[in-house]
Amino acid sequence: MEERQARTAFAALSQETRLRIVRLLVQAGPEGMAAGAIAEAVEVSPSNVSFHLKDLEHAGMIVPRREARSIIYSADFTGLRDLIAFLMKDCCAGHPEICAPAFAAAQCKPSTSKKKARA
């Protein structure tokens, strides 16, 4: 990932609603969620969520797909991984053991929270 792309991603994630959307979609996994369900879950209007989804898509943090008449949004796990790799690329001045806790925390773990219903 280039610095320009990283800045775009960080700018998108710096807004509260967009950060909540990305975290929600990460929890939803590859199955993703319909825009209406996302709006309901983050408690914003459908037009407001549409605005935020466009920005996140432009930043490479989410991907849409069409299913019948709905558009389903999923986290772009490749984009998110690339952003994390950008941050960690030169980690710890040649002492990778310092970064080990961050890598361990990033490992996939089953969620203990209740999953939101998907529409």
Short mmCIF file of all heavy atoms in Angstrom, two decimals, residues 54-109:
data_model
loop_
_atom_site.label_atom_id
_atom_site.label_comp_id
_atom_site.label_asym_id
_atom_site.label_seq_id
_atom_site.Cartn_x
_atom_site.Cartn_y
_atom_site.Cartn_z
N LYS A 54 -20.17 4.87 0.42
CA LYS A 54 -19.43 5.31 -0.77
C LYS A 54 -18.01 5.72 -0.41
O LYS A 54 -17.05 5.39 -1.11
CB LYS A 54 -20.14 6.49 -1.44
CG LYS A 54 -20.98 6.12 -2.58
CD LYS A 54 -21.49 7.35 -3.29
CE LYS A 54 -22.45 6.85 -4.34
NZ LYS A 54 -23.09 7.89 -5.07
N ASP A 55 -17.88 6.47 0.68
CA ASP A 55 -16.56 6.92 1.10
C ASP A 55 -15.67 5.75 1.49
O ASP A 55 -14.50 5.70 1.13
CB ASP A 55 -16.71 7.91 2.27
CG ASP A 55 -15.49 8.78 2.44
OD1 ASP A 55 -14.87 9.17 1.42
OD2 ASP A 55 -15.13 9.07 3.60
N LEU A 56 -16.23 4.78 2.20
CA LEU A 56 -15.45 3.61 2.60
C LEU A 56 -15.07 2.75 1.41
O LEU A 56 -13.96 2.19 1.37
CB LEU A 56 -16.25 2.79 3.62
CG LEU A 56 -16.38 3.42 5.00
CD1 LEU A 56 -17.42 2.68 5.83
CD2 LEU A 56 -15.02 3.44 5.71
N GLU A 57 -15.96 2.65 0.44
CA GLU A 57 -15.63 1.90 -0.78
C GLU A 57 -14.49 2.58 -1.53
O GLU A 57 -13.53 1.93 -1.96
CB GLU A 57 -16.87 1.77 -1.67
CG GLU A 57 -16.62 0.96 -2.92
CD GLU A 57 -17.84 0.89 -3.83
OE1 GLU A 57 -18.93 1.36 -3.46
OE2 GLU A 57 -17.67 0.35 -4.95
N HIS A 58 -14.58 3.89 -1.66
CA HIS A 58 -13.53 4.66 -2.33
C HIS A 58 -12.18 4.48 -1.63
O HIS A 58 -11.13 4.43 -2.28
CB HIS A 58 -13.91 6.14 -2.39
CG HIS A 58 -12.82 7.03 -2.88
ND1 HIS A 58 -12.44 7.08 -4.20
CD2 HIS A 58 -12.01 7.88 -2.21
CE1 HIS A 58 -11.44 7.93 -4.34
NE2 HIS A 58 -11.16 8.43 -3.15
N ALA A 59 -12.21 4.37 -0.31
CA ALA A 59 -10.98 4.22 0.48
C ALA A 59 -10.44 2.80 0.47
O ALA A 59 -9.38 2.53 1.01
CB ALA A 59 -11.23 4.68 1.92
N GLY A 60 -11.19 1.85 -0.13
CA GLY A 60 -10.72 0.47 -0.19
C GLY A 60 -10.94 -0.31 1.09
O GLY A 60 -10.27 -1.32 1.33
N MET A 61 -11.89 0.13 1.92
CA MET A 61 -12.14 -0.54 3.19
C MET A 61 -13.32 -1.51 3.13
O MET A 61 -13.44 -2.40 3.96
CB MET A 61 -12.39 0.49 4.31
CG MET A 61 -11.22 1.42 4.57
SD MET A 61 -9.80 0.58 5.32
CE MET A 61 -8.77 0.21 3.90
N ILE A 62 -14.21 -1.34 2.14
CA ILE A 62 -15.36 -2.23 1.97
C ILE A 62 -15.56 -2.52 0.49
O ILE A 62 -15.05 -1.79 -0.37
CB ILE A 62 -16.66 -1.64 2.57
CG1 ILE A 62 -17.08 -0.39 1.81
CG2 ILE A 62 -16.49 -1.35 4.06
CD1 ILE A 62 -18.48 0.10 2.18
N VAL A 63 -16.30 -3.60 0.22
CA VAL A 63 -16.64 -3.95 -1.16
C VAL A 63 -18.13 -4.28 -1.25
O VAL A 63 -18.67 -4.94 -0.37
CB VAL A 63 -15.81 -5.14 -1.69
CG1 VAL A 63 -14.36 -4.76 -1.87
CG2 VAL A 63 -15.92 -6.34 -0.78
N PRO A 64 -18.79 -3.77 -2.30
CA PRO A 64 -20.20 -4.10 -2.49
C PRO A 64 -20.36 -5.26 -3.46
O PRO A 64 -19.48 -5.54 -4.28
CB PRO A 64 -20.76 -2.83 -3.12
CG PRO A 64 -19.62 -2.32 -3.94
CD PRO A 64 -18.36 -2.71 -3.18
N ARG A 65 -21.48 -5.96 -3.34
CA ARG A 65 -21.85 -6.96 -4.34
C ARG A 65 -23.37 -6.96 -4.42
O ARG A 65 -24.06 -6.70 -3.44
CB ARG A 65 -21.29 -8.34 -4.00
CG ARG A 65 -21.97 -9.03 -2.84
CD ARG A 65 -21.39 -10.44 -2.59
NE ARG A 65 -22.08 -11.10 -1.53
CZ ARG A 65 -21.88 -10.93 -0.24
NH1 ARG A 65 -20.93 -10.10 0.17
NH2 ARG A 65 -22.59 -11.58 0.66
N ARG A 66 -23.86 -7.23 -5.60
CA ARG A 66 -25.30 -7.24 -5.81
C ARG A 66 -25.83 -8.65 -5.59
O ARG A 66 -25.28 -9.63 -6.09
CB ARG A 66 -25.65 -6.79 -7.23
CG ARG A 66 -27.16 -6.72 -7.46
CD ARG A 66 -27.53 -5.97 -8.71
NE ARG A 66 -27.32 -4.55 -8.63
CZ ARG A 66 -28.09 -3.68 -7.97
NH1 ARG A 66 -29.11 -4.12 -7.28
NH2 ARG A 66 -27.85 -2.39 -8.00
N GLU A 67 -26.90 -8.74 -4.81
CA GLU A 67 -27.63 -9.99 -4.62
C GLU A 67 -29.09 -9.67 -4.86
O GLU A 67 -29.72 -8.99 -4.03
CB GLU A 67 -27.43 -10.54 -3.20
CG GLU A 67 -26.09 -11.20 -2.99
CD GLU A 67 -25.98 -11.88 -1.64
OE1 GLU A 67 -26.97 -11.97 -0.89
OE2 GLU A 67 -24.85 -12.32 -1.32
N ALA A 68 -29.60 -10.13 -5.98
CA ALA A 68 -30.97 -9.83 -6.40
C ALA A 68 -31.13 -8.31 -6.44
O ALA A 68 -30.40 -7.65 -7.16
CB ALA A 68 -31.99 -10.49 -5.48
N ARG A 69 -32.04 -7.76 -5.65
CA ARG A 69 -32.26 -6.31 -5.69
C ARG A 69 -31.50 -5.57 -4.60
O ARG A 69 -31.61 -4.35 -4.48
CB ARG A 69 -33.76 -6.02 -5.55
CG ARG A 69 -34.52 -6.50 -6.77
CD ARG A 69 -36.01 -6.34 -6.67
NE ARG A 69 -36.45 -5.29 -5.78
CZ ARG A 69 -37.64 -4.76 -5.78
NH1 ARG A 69 -38.54 -5.19 -6.64
NH2 ARG A 69 -37.97 -3.83 -4.92
N SER A 70 -30.74 -6.29 -3.80
CA SER A 70 -30.00 -5.67 -2.70
C SER A 70 -28.52 -5.55 -3.04
O SER A 70 -27.98 -6.32 -3.82
CB SER A 70 -30.12 -6.53 -1.43
OG SER A 70 -31.44 -6.59 -0.99
N ILE A 71 -27.90 -4.58 -2.42
CA ILE A 71 -26.44 -4.47 -2.46
C ILE A 71 -25.94 -4.86 -1.08
O ILE A 71 -26.38 -4.31 -0.07
CB ILE A 71 -25.97 -3.06 -2.86
CG1 ILE A 71 -26.46 -2.74 -4.26
CG2 ILE A 71 -24.45 -2.98 -2.78
CD1 ILE A 71 -26.11 -1.37 -4.76
N ILE A 72 -25.07 -5.85 -1.06
CA ILE A 72 -24.50 -6.36 0.19
C ILE A 72 -23.08 -5.81 0.30
O ILE A 72 -22.30 -5.87 -0.65
CB ILE A 72 -24.48 -7.90 0.20
CG1 ILE A 72 -25.87 -8.48 -0.09
CG2 ILE A 72 -23.90 -8.43 1.50
CD1 ILE A 72 -26.93 -8.09 0.92
N TYR A 73 -22.76 -5.29 1.46
CA TYR A 73 -21.44 -4.73 1.70
C TYR A 73 -20.67 -5.64 2.65
O TYR A 73 -21.23 -6.16 3.61
CB TYR A 73 -21.55 -3.33 2.31
CG TYR A 73 -22.12 -2.34 1.34
CD1 TYR A 73 -23.49 -2.14 1.25
CD2 TYR A 73 -21.28 -1.60 0.51
CE1 TYR A 73 -24.02 -1.24 0.34
CE2 TYR A 73 -21.81 -0.69 -0.40
CZ TYR A 73 -23.17 -0.52 -0.47
OH TYR A 73 -23.68 0.37 -1.38
N SER A 74 -19.38 -5.82 2.34
CA SER A 74 -18.49 -6.62 3.18
C SER A 74 -17.22 -5.81 3.42
O SER A 74 -16.85 -4.96 2.60
CB SER A 74 -18.08 -7.91 2.47
OG SER A 74 -19.20 -8.66 2.10
N ALA A 75 -16.56 -6.12 4.51
CA ALA A 75 -15.25 -5.53 4.75
C ALA A 75 -14.31 -6.02 3.66
O ALA A 75 -14.40 -7.17 3.23
CB ALA A 75 -14.73 -5.93 6.12
N ASP A 76 -13.45 -5.15 3.18
CA ASP A 76 -12.43 -5.55 2.22
C ASP A 76 -11.22 -6.00 3.05
O ASP A 76 -10.39 -5.20 3.44
CB ASP A 76 -12.05 -4.39 1.30
CG ASP A 76 -11.06 -4.79 0.24
OD1 ASP A 76 -10.33 -5.79 0.42
OD2 ASP A 76 -10.97 -4.11 -0.79
N PHE A 77 -11.18 -7.28 3.34
CA PHE A 77 -10.15 -7.80 4.23
C PHE A 77 -8.76 -7.63 3.65
O PHE A 77 -7.79 -7.45 4.39
CB PHE A 77 -10.44 -9.26 4.61
CG PHE A 77 -11.65 -9.38 5.50
CD1 PHE A 77 -12.88 -9.74 4.97
CD2 PHE A 77 -11.58 -9.07 6.84
CE1 PHE A 77 -14.00 -9.83 5.78
CE2 PHE A 77 -12.68 -9.14 7.66
CZ PHE A 77 -13.91 -9.52 7.13
N THR A 78 -8.64 -7.64 2.33
CA THR A 78 -7.34 -7.40 1.71
C THR A 78 -6.91 -5.96 1.95
O THR A 78 -5.77 -5.69 2.32
CB THR A 78 -7.38 -7.71 0.20
OG1 THR A 78 -7.74 -9.08 0.03
CG2 THR A 78 -6.04 -7.44 -0.46
N GLY A 79 -7.83 -5.02 1.75
CA GLY A 79 -7.52 -3.62 1.99
C GLY A 79 -7.16 -3.34 3.44
O GLY A 79 -6.22 -2.61 3.75
N LEU A 80 -7.92 -3.95 4.36
CA LEU A 80 -7.62 -3.79 5.78
C LEU A 80 -6.27 -4.40 6.14
O LEU A 80 -5.48 -3.80 6.88
CB LEU A 80 -8.72 -4.42 6.62
CG LEU A 80 -10.07 -3.69 6.57
CD1 LEU A 80 -11.17 -4.56 7.17
CD2 LEU A 80 -9.98 -2.36 7.28
N ARG A 81 -5.99 -5.57 5.59
CA ARG A 81 -4.69 -6.22 5.84
C ARG A 81 -3.56 -5.35 5.31
O ARG A 81 -2.53 -5.17 5.97
CB ARG A 81 -4.66 -7.60 5.20
CG ARG A 81 -3.34 -8.35 5.51
CD ARG A 81 -3.11 -9.53 4.59
NE ARG A 81 -2.90 -9.03 3.24
CZ ARG A 81 -3.47 -9.54 2.15
NH1 ARG A 81 -4.26 -10.57 2.22
NH2 ARG A 81 -3.22 -9.03 0.96
N ASP A 82 -3.75 -4.79 4.12
CA ASP A 82 -2.71 -3.95 3.54
C ASP A 82 -2.47 -2.69 4.38
O ASP A 82 -1.33 -2.23 4.51
CB ASP A 82 -3.07 -3.55 2.11
CG ASP A 82 -2.99 -4.72 1.14
OD1 ASP A 82 -2.46 -5.80 1.52
OD2 ASP A 82 -3.49 -4.57 0.00
N LEU A 83 -3.54 -2.14 4.96
CA LEU A 83 -3.39 -0.97 5.81
C LEU A 83 -2.61 -1.32 7.08
O LEU A 83 -1.71 -0.58 7.49
CB LEU A 83 -4.77 -0.40 6.17
CG LEU A 83 -4.77 0.87 7.01
CD1 LEU A 83 -4.05 2.00 6.30
CD2 LEU A 83 -6.20 1.27 7.34
N ILE A 84 -2.93 -2.44 7.67
CA ILE A 84 -2.20 -2.88 8.87
C ILE A 84 -0.74 -3.17 8.51
O ILE A 84 0.17 -2.77 9.25
CB ILE A 84 -2.87 -4.11 9.49
CG1 ILE A 84 -4.25 -3.71 10.04
CG2 ILE A 84 -1.99 -4.73 10.58
CD1 ILE A 84 -5.14 -4.88 10.39
N ALA A 85 -0.52 -3.80 7.38
CA ALA A 85 0.85 -4.09 6.95
C ALA A 85 1.63 -2.80 6.72
O ALA A 85 2.82 -2.71 7.06
CB ALA A 85 0.85 -4.95 5.69
N PHE A 86 0.97 -1.78 6.17
CA PHE A 86 1.61 -0.49 5.95
C PHE A 86 2.10 0.08 7.28
O PHE A 86 3.22 0.58 7.38
CB PHE A 86 0.61 0.48 5.29
CG PHE A 86 1.13 1.89 5.18
CD1 PHE A 86 1.94 2.26 4.12
CD2 PHE A 86 0.80 2.83 6.13
CE1 PHE A 86 2.42 3.57 4.02
CE2 PHE A 86 1.27 4.14 6.04
CZ PHE A 86 2.09 4.50 4.99
N LEU A 87 1.26 -0.03 8.30
CA LEU A 87 1.64 0.49 9.62
C LEU A 87 2.78 -0.31 10.25
O LEU A 87 3.65 0.26 10.91
CB LEU A 87 0.44 0.45 10.57
CG LEU A 87 -0.61 1.51 10.39
CD1 LEU A 87 -1.77 1.25 11.34
CD2 LEU A 87 -0.03 2.88 10.62
N MET A 88 2.75 -1.61 10.07
CA MET A 88 3.68 -2.48 10.77
C MET A 88 4.94 -2.81 9.96
O MET A 88 5.82 -3.51 10.46
CB MET A 88 2.97 -3.79 11.14
CG MET A 88 1.70 -3.58 11.98
SD MET A 88 1.97 -2.74 13.53
CE MET A 88 2.63 -4.06 14.51
N LYS A 89 5.03 -2.32 8.74
CA LYS A 89 6.10 -2.69 7.83
C LYS A 89 7.50 -2.53 8.43
O LYS A 89 8.34 -3.41 8.31
CB LYS A 89 5.99 -1.87 6.54
CG LYS A 89 7.00 -2.22 5.49
CD LYS A 89 6.64 -1.52 4.20
CE LYS A 89 7.75 -0.61 3.78
NZ LYS A 89 7.45 0.14 2.58
N ASP A 90 7.75 -1.45 9.06
CA ASP A 90 9.07 -1.19 9.62
C ASP A 90 9.04 -1.28 11.14
O ASP A 90 9.73 -0.55 11.85
CB ASP A 90 9.56 0.19 9.17
CG ASP A 90 9.62 0.29 7.66
OD1 ASP A 90 10.11 -0.66 7.03
OD2 ASP A 90 9.16 1.31 7.12
N CYS A 91 8.27 -2.21 11.63
CA CYS A 91 7.98 -2.33 13.06
C CYS A 91 9.22 -2.54 13.91
O CYS A 91 10.07 -3.37 13.61
CB CYS A 91 7.00 -3.49 13.27
SG CYS A 91 6.55 -3.73 14.98
N CYS A 92 9.28 -1.77 14.93
CA CYS A 92 10.14 -2.04 16.08
C CYS A 92 11.63 -2.01 15.79
O CYS A 92 12.42 -2.68 16.47
CB CYS A 92 9.76 -3.38 16.72
SG CYS A 92 8.01 -3.47 17.09
N ALA A 93 12.04 -1.26 14.81
CA ALA A 93 13.47 -1.03 14.55
C ALA A 93 14.29 -2.31 14.55
O ALA A 93 15.34 -2.40 15.17
CB ALA A 93 14.03 -0.03 15.56
N GLY A 94 13.79 -3.33 13.88
CA GLY A 94 14.54 -4.58 13.78
C GLY A 94 14.37 -5.51 14.96
O GLY A 94 15.09 -6.50 15.07
N HIS A 95 13.41 -5.23 15.82
CA HIS A 95 13.14 -6.09 16.97
C HIS A 95 11.70 -6.58 16.90
O HIS A 95 10.84 -6.10 17.64
CB HIS A 95 13.39 -5.35 18.29
CG HIS A 95 14.79 -4.86 18.43
ND1 HIS A 95 15.83 -5.69 18.79
CD2 HIS A 95 15.33 -3.64 18.23
CE1 HIS A 95 16.96 -4.99 18.81
NE2 HIS A 95 16.68 -3.75 18.47
N PRO A 96 11.41 -7.55 16.03
CA PRO A 96 10.04 -7.98 15.80
C PRO A 96 9.35 -8.55 17.04
O PRO A 96 8.14 -8.55 17.13
CB PRO A 96 10.15 -9.02 14.70
CG PRO A 96 11.56 -9.45 14.70
CD PRO A 96 12.37 -8.30 15.21
N GLU A 97 10.12 -8.99 18.03
CA GLU A 97 9.51 -9.53 19.25
C GLU A 97 8.69 -8.46 19.98
O GLU A 97 7.74 -8.78 20.70
CB GLU A 97 10.56 -10.15 20.17
CG GLU A 97 11.56 -9.16 20.77
CD GLU A 97 12.73 -8.77 19.86
OE1 GLU A 97 12.79 -9.21 18.70
OE2 GLU A 97 13.59 -8.03 20.34
N ILE A 98 9.02 -7.20 19.79
CA ILE A 98 8.27 -6.12 20.41
C ILE A 98 6.86 -6.05 19.84
O ILE A 98 5.91 -5.74 20.55
CB ILE A 98 9.01 -4.77 20.23
CG1 ILE A 98 10.36 -4.81 20.95
CG2 ILE A 98 8.16 -3.61 20.73
CD1 ILE A 98 11.25 -3.62 20.64
N CYS A 99 6.72 -6.39 18.56
CA CYS A 99 5.42 -6.32 17.89
C CYS A 99 4.60 -7.59 18.07
O CYS A 99 3.43 -7.62 17.69
CB CYS A 99 5.62 -6.06 16.39
SG CYS A 99 6.37 -4.47 16.06
N ALA A 100 5.18 -8.63 18.62
CA ALA A 100 4.48 -9.91 18.76
C ALA A 100 3.12 -9.78 19.43
O ALA A 100 2.15 -10.38 18.97
CB ALA A 100 5.36 -10.93 19.48
N PRO A 101 2.98 -8.99 20.53
CA PRO A 101 1.64 -8.87 21.12
C PRO A 101 0.61 -8.28 20.17
O PRO A 101 -0.55 -8.69 20.18
CB PRO A 101 1.87 -7.96 22.33
CG PRO A 101 3.31 -8.13 22.67
CD PRO A 101 4.00 -8.34 21.34
N ALA A 102 1.02 -7.34 19.34
CA ALA A 102 0.08 -6.74 18.38
C ALA A 102 -0.36 -7.78 17.35
O ALA A 102 -1.54 -7.85 16.99
CB ALA A 102 0.72 -5.54 17.68
N PHE A 103 0.57 -8.59 16.88
CA PHE A 103 0.21 -9.62 15.91
C PHE A 103 -0.68 -10.68 16.55
O PHE A 103 -1.62 -11.16 15.94
CB PHE A 103 1.46 -10.27 15.31
CG PHE A 103 2.22 -9.35 14.39
CD1 PHE A 103 3.55 -9.08 14.61
CD2 PHE A 103 1.59 -8.75 13.31
CE1 PHE A 103 4.25 -8.22 13.77
CE2 PHE A 103 2.28 -7.90 12.46
CZ PHE A 103 3.62 -7.63 12.70
N ALA A 104 -0.39 -11.06 17.79
CA ALA A 104 -1.21 -12.05 18.49
C ALA A 104 -2.62 -11.54 18.69
O ALA A 104 -3.60 -12.28 18.52
CB ALA A 104 -0.58 -12.41 19.82
N ALA A 105 -2.77 -10.26 19.03
CA ALA A 105 -4.09 -9.67 19.24
C ALA A 105 -4.89 -9.62 17.95
O ALA A 105 -6.13 -9.65 17.97
CB ALA A 105 -3.96 -8.27 19.83
N ALA A 106 -4.22 -9.56 16.82
CA ALA A 106 -4.90 -9.46 15.53
C ALA A 106 -5.38 -10.80 15.00
O ALA A 106 -6.10 -10.85 14.02
CB ALA A 106 -3.96 -8.81 14.50
N GLN A 107 -4.98 -11.89 15.64
CA GLN A 107 -5.41 -13.21 15.18
C GLN A 107 -6.92 -13.35 15.32
O GLN A 107 -7.51 -12.83 16.26
CB GLN A 107 -4.72 -14.32 15.98
CG GLN A 107 -3.22 -14.34 15.82
CD GLN A 107 -2.78 -14.54 14.38
OE1 GLN A 107 -3.28 -15.42 13.70
NE2 GLN A 107 -1.87 -13.72 13.92
N CYS A 108 -7.55 -14.03 14.39
CA CYS A 108 -9.01 -14.21 14.43
C CYS A 108 -9.40 -15.02 15.65
O CYS A 108 -8.83 -16.08 15.91
CB CYS A 108 -9.49 -14.92 13.17
SG CYS A 108 -9.39 -13.88 11.72
N LYS A 109 -10.38 -14.51 16.37
CA LYS A 109 -10.91 -15.19 17.54
C LYS A 109 -12.42 -15.16 17.43
O LYS A 109 -12.99 -14.19 16.94
CB LYS A 109 -10.49 -14.49 18.82
CG LYS A 109 -9.00 -14.49 19.04
CD LYS A 109 -8.63 -13.67 20.25
CE LYS A 109 -7.11 -13.58 20.33
NZ LYS A 109 -6.66 -12.45 21.08
#
